[in-house]
Amino acid sequence: MSAANQDIEDLNFIITEAIRLNKLSRLDPELYKSDFYNDIDCIVSSLKPPQDIGEIDHTLIQFNFSSAAQKVLENIAKRQYRLTEGVTVLDLETEIRNSIYIHLKNNGSFDSPGCMKLLARAQKRAKRSRKQITYFFPFNAVGLSPEKEINIGNLKIIHKDSIYAKVKEDDHYRFFIKSNEDIFNCLLHIPIPESSSNLSKHRAENVANFIYGVIRVFTTSYHYKADQIILLNHPFHKDTTHYIASSNDDYWIEGSYSQLNIKSIQPIS
């Protein structure tokens, strides 16, 4: 079976499963819950409206993905992934969900032309989500003055003062500045070509770790002391990251610490 025909078959399976679950939820709510393989599948089963379609009537569409339908959706996204650069499978899963919602809202059919239209919309939405983002990871390079920079191809090590002034001030900014005032003096500047936010962040972190590794190897090979060379993409806790990002002259601070209780985070000793 061709990939296109498999996609059509799988989309119709998802619709059939949604109809079955809708009937099951009315007949026996407990049996409906037990239909899912695990609690996570149940939690993420609802079809949510896209955030960019304006006014939303949350009662308009009652649609749920069974565990089997969620797996089939992932398979569709993996096939579509081969046709789209600069996005992840998760990005495509999200946009296929969004496109199913829009398709149902517009009373679209799920015959061959209807399914192809739905998937084309998902591809277009995924591509539209891509943007060029530059990342700035905390980096300690003792001795680098504010007016100087170190170029490594199209990457740079720059003094933090040149970027701080451009970042929009908010609670995250004040915490970022206060917590890192004496820990690092520079930022590792990494421009990432047009990609989805999920993919560009992953690429930037991989590049940052590679550059840091190269510098460590260099200092070891030439017997330089490297204690002052620190890449702080995990400054507080093993699953906590923070960094500055920019796109279209807009600068902001991101990182998992923004989702935590600030008082609970302790600087590394």
Side-chain angles (χ1 to χ4, degrees), residues 44 46-47 65 73 93-101:
V44 301
S46 297
L47 180 65
F65 293 84
L73 175 65
E93 279 191 62
T94 300
E95 293 306 343
I96 293 170
R97 278 179 175 253
N98 288 339
S99 297
I100 288 174
Y101 184 96

Side-chain angles (χ1 to χ4, degrees), residues 59-126:
T59 65
L60 181 63
I61 297 173
Q62 300 297 318
F63 188 104
N64 291 284
F65 293 84
S66 66
S67 291
Q70 290 178 45
K71 182 61 180 177
V72 166
L73 175 65
E74 181 185 0
N75 291 338
I76 297 173
K78 286 179 178 177
R79 289 192 293 270
Q80 293 295 309
Y81 173 71
R82 300 168 191 162
L83 307 175
T84 311
E85 294 183 357
V87 299
T88 66
V89 171
L90 180 58
D91 294 323
L92 284 165
E93 279 191 62
T94 300
E95 293 306 343
I96 293 170
R97 278 179 175 253
N98 288 339
S99 297
I100 288 174
Y101 184 96
I102 295 169
H103 202 69
L104 291 170
K105 184 174 180 291
N106 294 338
N107 296 315
S109 67
F110 284 85
D111 56 8
S112 179
C115 289
M116 290 299 97
K117 181 178 180 180
L118 187 159
L119 292 175
R121 177 183 286 115
Q123 287 274 355
K124 184 177 180 179
R125 289 178 60 89

